[in-house]
Amino acid sequence: MPRNPKRHPGARKYKDYSKESLQKAIEAVNSGKSTLRKAAEEFGISRATISRRINGENAGKVGRPCVLLEEDERSLVQCITAAGEWGFPLTLFDIRLLVKSFLDKKGVTEKRFCNNLPGKDWGMSFLKRQKNILSQRLCQNVKRARANVDEETITAYFDELQTNLEGVDAHLIINYDETNLTDDPGRKHVAVRRGCRHPERIIDTTKSSTSVMFTAVGNGVLLPPYITYKAEHLYNTWTEGGPKGTVFNRSKSGWFTMEIFEDWFRSIILPYFKKYDTEAPKVLIGDNLASHVSPWVISQCEKLNIRFILLPPNSTGICQPLDVSFFRPLKAYWRSVLGEWKETNRGSIPKDKFPCLLSKCLNAMTSDCEKNIKAGFKATGLVPLDRQQVLKRLPRTTVLSQSNDENNITWVSSLETLLQEKRSNETQPMKQKKKKLNIPAGRSIVQTMLNDDVEQGSPSQGTVKKGTGKERKGKRTHNESHLSSSSEDEGLFSVHDTDSDDVISFCSSGKENETEGSEIPEQSSSNVNTIFSSDSPVHSDDILSGVFVVVKLKYNENTKKECVKTFYGQVISNDNDGQCRVKFLRKSSKNNKIYIFPIVDDVMKIRLDQIVSTVKPLGVSRGRYTFPFELS
């Protein structure tokens, strides 16, 4: 059948009536109010059609039967909905391949399909038949960390909320979150000549953005915003024309630091809460970003009876009211206001114009602001408290039809089990070996040159003797690659084995380590030994959970040469049996004076005699630690 069928002039009318008209005609004839002839003339339906329906003849569907049985098509719909709920939605081509696989396994050859693969027309007809259940939408990419938020995490979160939100009024529940307003007004639908593949609009855009902290109250009130510029200094013209009560600040990165977060709490939260009874319980809810957790803020919350609540990790998309219902319309209004300004101005937004544009944006959405905020608090189960509002947005098991044998589960449930395992599966980062090639610039590389370079150095640069320092510099063994990384893989690899309590021996029976004369150079740690040298060992009472320590470890204990290294770490637990669990930090590849925790936790059980000393960080900023001494 063609995609746009057209009826030829004079052709027989094909079902040129509705189900309602046919039913009325049948009722008129059965009740005796009309004859077949009059009913056919009144409703425009053939007498033969009315007669057959009255007598129960040809009561089935008109046209050729579908390829899939009704039961099979229902199972296919269940598979499609289950895959979408678990984060692996199927495209129209995937559905066609799934049908082909089903027909092949069933041993059915469908002549209307090419090699049992349905065409696009069948796919569109299938979606049209199931339009009450299925629809085509643009999907949004979600990181695996967000997808790992499960029902157990949300249930534990609401169990705590039920206690903390008890007796708290909606006007005393505050949610905060920072977002960035970009200098790009986005794309628009425009009318151009047919066939123009890349329509362009002349408008200046940049990748710059300005960070703004928004604060919303459970009763729908939006508190004044807090704007943070990316600059070293703040000027008076940058603070004029903004929304009433707006507070301005600046930082080197343009994002919030702990000091700016404290100033926001002092400027926005405290004045609002002090208007109400100090004895009444109050709630402050936000994400668990490191710069948003300040000891001073926590102490102030304890004094003023403010319950400081952090959201579960990676759950802001379903638990943060501002993320759920406020930021999307805000960005839409912002792009509209920004587009109007850029039509008459050139370049990026000057900082002295940003407050005026933000004020215009918030004024434009005033009518929807209160409604969106209340909808966000309701959708996240905060006001009123209802955990089902969040749980229903998590993947759930589809209600499946059971076969005659109760022990036999349908193949749809097997698909759901597979999708659930795939959703929660944690993939390990790829460990890539990198080696500098000693090939002169301008010379083409061939495989023999690479092999020679690996074995004995580049022939063009001269053979490098085995066992020398130059070879060690240009040729890094696989085991040593764990000790350093580039900016691309920062934080991905660990020094220790997270699945074992023992120290890893870096010099295993590998081919590279068996090279004659290849010795691991001894690390210079005289400065560390001098600083942390002590005659008395560290007492077990000093090793508390959360304390930072300096740990000295020895590697290659089975060889003649030993390599001693010193690390910074944080104590997780003290077993009081001469051992404790420590989570190690590593140097940042961008700055050797900054230490960070790797993405994959580097946890290891060590002996207390391996701890040199306890240490206190000089500063903490966005998960980056600085210590008084640089380890070697």
Side-chain angles (χ1 to χ4, degrees):
M1 179 183 292
R3 298 186 180 182
N4 298 312
K6 295 181 181 180
R7 190 171 66 89
H8 298 287
R12 181 179 69 85
K13 292 184 178 181
Y14 177 76
K15 197 178 179 182
D16 194 13
Y17 55 86
S18 63
K19 293 182 179 179
E20 292 78 8
S21 300
L22 178 61
Q23 186 64 28
K24 290 180 181 179
I26 294 174
E27 292 176 357
V29 174
N30 290 334
S31 62
K33 295 180 181 180
S34 178
T35 62
L36 281 174
R37 184 184 298 274
K38 290 183 179 180
E41 293 177 355
E42 181 181 356
F43 295 100
I45 305 175
S46 172
R47 286 184 299 168
T49 300
I50 300 176
S51 177
R52 284 196 299 268
R53 292 304 176 95
I54 292 175
N55 297 327
E57 299 175 359
N58 298 337
K61 293 182 179 180
V62 179
R64 195 171 183 179
C66 295
V67 175
L68 300 179
L69 300 178
E70 187 175 351
E71 182 181 354
D72 294 334
E73 194 159 304
R74 192 185 308 115
S75 298
L76 176 60
V77 172
Q78 289 181 348
C79 286
I80 297 172
T81 54
E85 289 178 357
W86 286 102
F88 302 95
L90 303 179
T91 63
L92 187 59
F93 183 67
D94 295 333
I95 297 174
R96 293 163 55 197
L97 291 177
L98 188 60
V99 173
K100 172 180 168 53
S101 176
F102 175 77
L103 294 177
D104 291 341
K105 291 182 179 180
K106 201 174 181 181
V108 176
T109 302
E110 179 55 50
K111 296 180 179 180
R112 286 172 284 181
F113 297 160
C114 180
N115 295 329
N116 272 355
L117 178 65
K120 293 182 180 179
D121 293 337
W122 180 92
M124 299 305 298
S125 299
F126 169 75
L127 294 179
K128 187 177 181 180
R129 288 195 302 272
Q130 305 295 336
K131 62 181 179 180
N132 294 331
I133 304 176
L134 304 177
S135 64
Q136 283 187 298
R137 302 286 299 274
L138 286 175
C139 66
Q140 183 178 359
N141 297 328
V142 178
K143 294 183 179 180
R144 286 188 176 271
R146 288 182 178 270
N148 284 337
V149 178
D150 54 5
E151 184 176 349
E152 183 179 356
T153 303
I154 299 301
T155 302
Y157 164 66
F158 273 94
D159 289 341
E160 297 292 337
L161 272 185
Q162 193 165 4
T163 304
N164 290 320
L165 294 183
E166 185 177 359
V168 182
D169 297 330
H171 67 279
L172 296 179
I173 301 177
I174 287 182
N175 174 238
Y176 65 88
D177 192 18
E178 61 176 309
T179 186
N180 62 323
L181 298 179
T182 63
D183 187 49
D184 187 0
R187 304 169 65 183
K188 282 187 177 182
H189 289 282
V190 294
V192 294
R193 174 181 55 82
R194 178 177 291 276
C196 180
R197 295 188 175 183
H198 303 288
E200 296 179 348
R201 180 172 58 145
I202 300 176
I203 192 170
D204 292 337
T205 60
T206 63
K207 295 183 179 180
S208 63
S209 60
T210 303
S211 177
V212 184
M213 175 76 85
F214 288 94
T215 310
V217 190
N219 59 354
V221 176
L222 181 67
L223 298 184
Y226 192 104
I227 300 176
T228 303
Y229 295 112
K230 182 178 181 180
E232 295 287 344
H233 306 283
L234 189 65
Y235 299 93
N236 61 332
T237 56
W238 298 358
T239 63
E240 299 173 355
K244 185 178 179 180
T246 304
V247 184
F248 300 86
N249 210 327
R250 82 284 181 203
S251 67
K252 187 175 181 180
S253 63
W255 289 97
F256 265 55
T257 61
M258 189 173 294
E259 292 77 13
I260 295 180
F261 181 76
E262 294 174 354
D263 184 68
W264 164 82
F265 183 84
R266 189 184 301 108
S267 306
I268 304 296
I269 301 300
L270 291 183
Y272 176 80
F273 277 150
K274 285 182 179 179
K275 295 188 299 184
Y276 301 96
D277 184 13
T278 56
E279 299 298 328
K282 312 167 192 64
V283 173
L284 184 64
I285 302 177
D287 53 27
N288 58 353
L289 193 63
S291 61
H292 292 175
V293 181
S294 166
W296 180 83
V297 171
I298 295 175
S299 64
Q300 292 297 315
C301 290
E302 293 177 352
K303 293 179 182 179
L304 301 175
N305 197 14
I306 301 175
R307 299 166 185 174
F308 193 10
I309 300 175
L310 299 179
L311 298 172
N314 304 307
S315 67
T316 56
I318 57 177
C319 296
Q320 182 93 275
L322 288 171
D323 271 348
V324 170
S325 66
F326 183 77
F327 282 155
R328 181 172 182 178
L330 171 71
K331 300 295 181 65
Y333 279 104
W334 171 254
R335 286 191 294 267
S336 177
V337 171
L338 182 61
E340 294 177 0
W341 183 86
K342 284 186 173 291
E343 288 178 357
T344 56
N345 296 272
R346 290 189 175 184
S348 60
I349 311 175
K351 290 183 174 61
D352 56 353
K353 299 294 182 183
F354 182 84
C356 300
L357 296 179
L358 179 60
S359 179
K360 187 176 180 180
C361 173
L362 294 179
N363 292 336
M365 63 178 303
T366 301
S367 58
D368 299 331
C369 186
E370 181 179 354
K371 180 179 67 176
N372 290 338
I373 292 176
K374 288 183 177 180
F377 276 88
K378 181 180 179 180
T380 54
L382 297 177
V383 180
L385 187 64
D386 183 12
R387 67 182 65 193
Q388 294 301 325
Q389 294 290 336
V390 179
L391 291 177
K392 69 181 182 181
R393 302 176 64 183
L394 295 176
R396 60 185 184 277
T397 304
T398 310
V399 180
L400 304 173
S401 59
Q402 298 289 336
S403 60
N404 296 330
D405 186 5
E406 295 183 355
N407 297 326
N408 230 351
I409 304 177
T410 60
W411 60 283
V412 184
S413 62
S414 302
L415 175 64
E416 285 186 342
T417 304
L418 178 64
L419 294 174
Q420 184 176 9
E421 294 175 355
K422 190 175 180 181
R423 180 184 178 95
S424 60
N425 184 28
E426 294 185 1
T427 59
Q428 294 294 333
M430 296 181 61
K431 300 180 180 180
Q432 299 179 353
K433 291 175 59 178
K434 295 192 298 183
K435 183 184 69 66
K436 181 180 178 181
L437 298 177
N438 296 320
I439 307 296
R443 178 175 298 182
S444 60
I445 303 176
V446 294
Q447 187 64 34
T448 55
M449 296 175 63
L450 294 178
N451 295 337
D452 294 340
D453 183 62
V454 170
E455 294 179 359
Q456 57 182 357
S458 171
S460 61
Q461 298 288 340
T463 302
V464 182
K465 294 183 180 180
K466 298 181 180 180
T468 62
K470 292 183 179 180
E471 183 193 12
R472 298 299 302 176
K473 183 177 180 180
K475 176 183 175 182
R476 181 188 302 169
T477 64
H478 171 68
N479 292 323
E480 288 178 326
S481 64
H482 290 269
L483 294 174
S484 61
S485 62
S486 64
S487 59
E488 297 177 355
D489 57 1
E490 178 179 339
L492 293 181
F493 307 122
S494 303
V495 179
H496 309 286
D497 185 6
T498 56
D499 298 329
S500 175
D501 293 337
D502 300 325
V503 180
I504 298 177
S505 178
F506 274 28
C507 189
S508 59
S509 58
K511 189 172 184 180
E512 294 178 345
N513 290 333
E514 293 175 357
T515 304
E516 184 178 359
S518 59
E519 301 174 355
I520 299 179
E522 301 212 11
Q523 303 294 327
S524 174
S525 58
S526 58
N527 57 339
V528 181
N529 295 333
T530 303
I531 294 169
F532 296 109
S533 60
S534 176
D535 297 335
S536 59
V538 179
H539 295 285
S540 177
D541 297 338
D542 299 334
I543 309 302
L544 302 176
S545 178
V547 173
F548 287 88
V549 295
V550 180
V551 181
K552 182 182 294 185
L553 300 176
K554 294 182 180 181
Y555 297 93
N556 308 322
E557 296 181 353
N558 298 328
T559 60
K560 297 180 180 180
K561 297 292 183 179
E562 291 186 355
C563 178
V564 180
K565 277 188 171 292
T566 312
F567 303 94
Y568 281 122
Q570 187 179 25
V571 178
I572 298 179
S573 62
N574 189 351
D575 299 338
N576 294 324
D577 58 352
Q579 293 182 336
C580 65
R581 296 186 66 85
V582 177
K583 182 167 68 172
F584 288 90
L585 296 97
R586 62 181 299 278
K587 289 184 179 180
S588 172
S589 62
K590 299 180 180 179
N591 191 341
N592 290 332
K593 297 182 181 179
I594 295 178
Y595 292 81
I596 60 175
F597 285 109
I599 295 177
V600 180
D601 289 342
D602 188 6
V603 181
M604 175 179 159
K605 182 178 286 188
I606 63 171
R607 303 186 306 272
L608 292 182
D609 57 3
Q610 293 176 310
I611 299 178
V612 181
S613 173
T614 59
V615 65
K616 185 176 181 181
L618 292 179
V620 182
S621 176
R622 302 178 69 88
R624 297 173 176 269
Y625 298 81
T626 55
F627 291 93
F629 310 103
E630 182 179 354
L631 302 181
S632 59

mmCIF file of all heavy atoms in Angstrom, residues 17 25 164 208 350 469-470 498 505 529 590:
data_model
loop_
_atom_site.group_PDB
_atom_site.id
_atom_site.type_symbol
_atom_site.label_atom_id
_atom_site.label_comp_id
_atom_site.label_asym_id
_atom_site.label_seq_id
_atom_site.Cartn_x
_atom_site.Cartn_y
_atom_site.Cartn_z
ATOM 1 N N TYR A 17 -17.914 5.634 6.984
ATOM 2 C CA TYR A 17 -18.807 5.911 8.109
ATOM 3 C C TYR A 17 -18.036 5.637 9.395
ATOM 4 O O TYR A 17 -16.971 5.011 9.380
ATOM 5 C CB TYR A 17 -20.063 5.026 8.042
ATOM 6 C CG TYR A 17 -19.761 3.546 7.967
ATOM 7 C CD1 TYR A 17 -19.561 2.792 9.114
ATOM 8 C CD2 TYR A 17 -19.653 2.893 6.732
ATOM 9 C CE1 TYR A 17 -19.264 1.450 9.054
ATOM 10 C CE2 TYR A 17 -19.362 1.555 6.656
ATOM 11 C CZ TYR A 17 -19.167 0.827 7.828
ATOM 12 O OH TYR A 17 -18.868 -0.503 7.766
ATOM 13 N N ALA A 25 -27.563 3.271 13.424
ATOM 14 C CA ALA A 25 -28.379 2.667 12.375
ATOM 15 C C ALA A 25 -28.909 1.306 12.800
ATOM 16 O O ALA A 25 -30.089 0.964 12.552
ATOM 17 C CB ALA A 25 -27.566 2.552 11.093
ATOM 18 N N ASN A 164 12.337 14.673 59.992
ATOM 19 C CA ASN A 164 12.828 16.053 59.979
ATOM 20 C C ASN A 164 11.763 17.057 59.544
ATOM 21 O O ASN A 164 11.820 18.223 59.937
ATOM 22 C CB ASN A 164 14.036 16.161 59.047
ATOM 23 C CG ASN A 164 15.250 15.460 59.601
ATOM 24 O OD1 ASN A 164 15.529 15.527 60.783
ATOM 25 N ND2 ASN A 164 15.975 14.747 58.748
ATOM 26 N N SER A 208 30.537 31.673 27.360
ATOM 27 C CA SER A 208 30.603 32.185 28.718
ATOM 28 C C SER A 208 29.258 32.024 29.414
ATOM 29 O O SER A 208 28.203 31.910 28.784
ATOM 30 C CB SER A 208 31.008 33.660 28.703
ATOM 31 O OG SER A 208 30.040 34.441 28.029
ATOM 32 N N PRO A 350 27.705 42.215 28.448
ATOM 33 C CA PRO A 350 28.564 42.877 29.441
ATOM 34 C C PRO A 350 28.025 42.605 30.844
ATOM 35 O O PRO A 350 26.821 42.443 31.045
ATOM 36 C CB PRO A 350 28.451 44.361 29.075
ATOM 37 C CG PRO A 350 27.907 44.395 27.694
ATOM 38 C CD PRO A 350 27.056 43.169 27.545
ATOM 39 N N GLY A 469 68.518 5.436 33.001
ATOM 40 C CA GLY A 469 67.429 6.317 33.422
ATOM 41 C C GLY A 469 66.630 6.821 32.256
ATOM 42 O O GLY A 469 65.447 7.085 32.366
ATOM 43 N N LYS A 470 67.309 7.004 31.058
ATOM 44 C CA LYS A 470 66.583 7.499 29.891
ATOM 45 C C LYS A 470 65.521 6.509 29.457
ATOM 46 O O LYS A 470 64.438 6.878 29.046
ATOM 47 C CB LYS A 470 67.554 7.772 28.735
ATOM 48 C CG LYS A 470 68.490 8.930 28.995
ATOM 49 C CD LYS A 470 69.365 9.195 27.779
ATOM 50 C CE LYS A 470 70.290 10.386 28.015
ATOM 51 N NZ LYS A 470 71.142 10.650 26.847
ATOM 52 N N THR A 498 41.412 -2.195 45.447
ATOM 53 C CA THR A 498 40.249 -1.944 46.298
ATOM 54 C C THR A 498 39.586 -3.230 46.757
ATOM 55 O O THR A 498 38.775 -3.209 47.670
ATOM 56 C CB THR A 498 39.215 -1.099 45.544
ATOM 57 O OG1 THR A 498 38.879 -1.771 44.330
ATOM 58 C CG2 THR A 498 39.766 0.261 45.205
ATOM 59 N N SER A 505 52.202 -5.769 45.027
ATOM 60 C CA SER A 505 53.591 -5.744 44.593
ATOM 61 C C SER A 505 53.655 -5.245 43.166
ATOM 62 O O SER A 505 53.093 -5.843 42.264
ATOM 63 C CB SER A 505 54.199 -7.146 44.679
ATOM 64 O OG SER A 505 55.515 -7.125 44.208
ATOM 65 N N ASN A 529 60.733 12.096 55.613
ATOM 66 C CA ASN A 529 61.226 11.404 56.806
ATOM 67 C C ASN A 529 61.657 12.396 57.873
ATOM 68 O O ASN A 529 61.493 12.163 59.071
ATOM 69 C CB ASN A 529 62.392 10.485 56.429
ATOM 70 C CG ASN A 529 61.940 9.368 55.512
ATOM 71 O OD1 ASN A 529 60.781 8.971 55.549
ATOM 72 N ND2 ASN A 529 62.851 8.868 54.683
ATOM 73 N N LYS A 590 47.104 18.389 37.322
ATOM 74 C CA LYS A 590 47.236 19.782 36.928
ATOM 75 C C LYS A 590 48.068 20.584 37.916
ATOM 76 O O LYS A 590 48.672 21.590 37.552
ATOM 77 C CB LYS A 590 45.844 20.417 36.781
ATOM 78 C CG LYS A 590 44.989 19.757 35.712
ATOM 79 C CD LYS A 590 43.629 20.427 35.617
ATOM 80 C CE LYS A 590 42.770 19.753 34.551
ATOM 81 N NZ LYS A 590 41.432 20.372 34.453
#
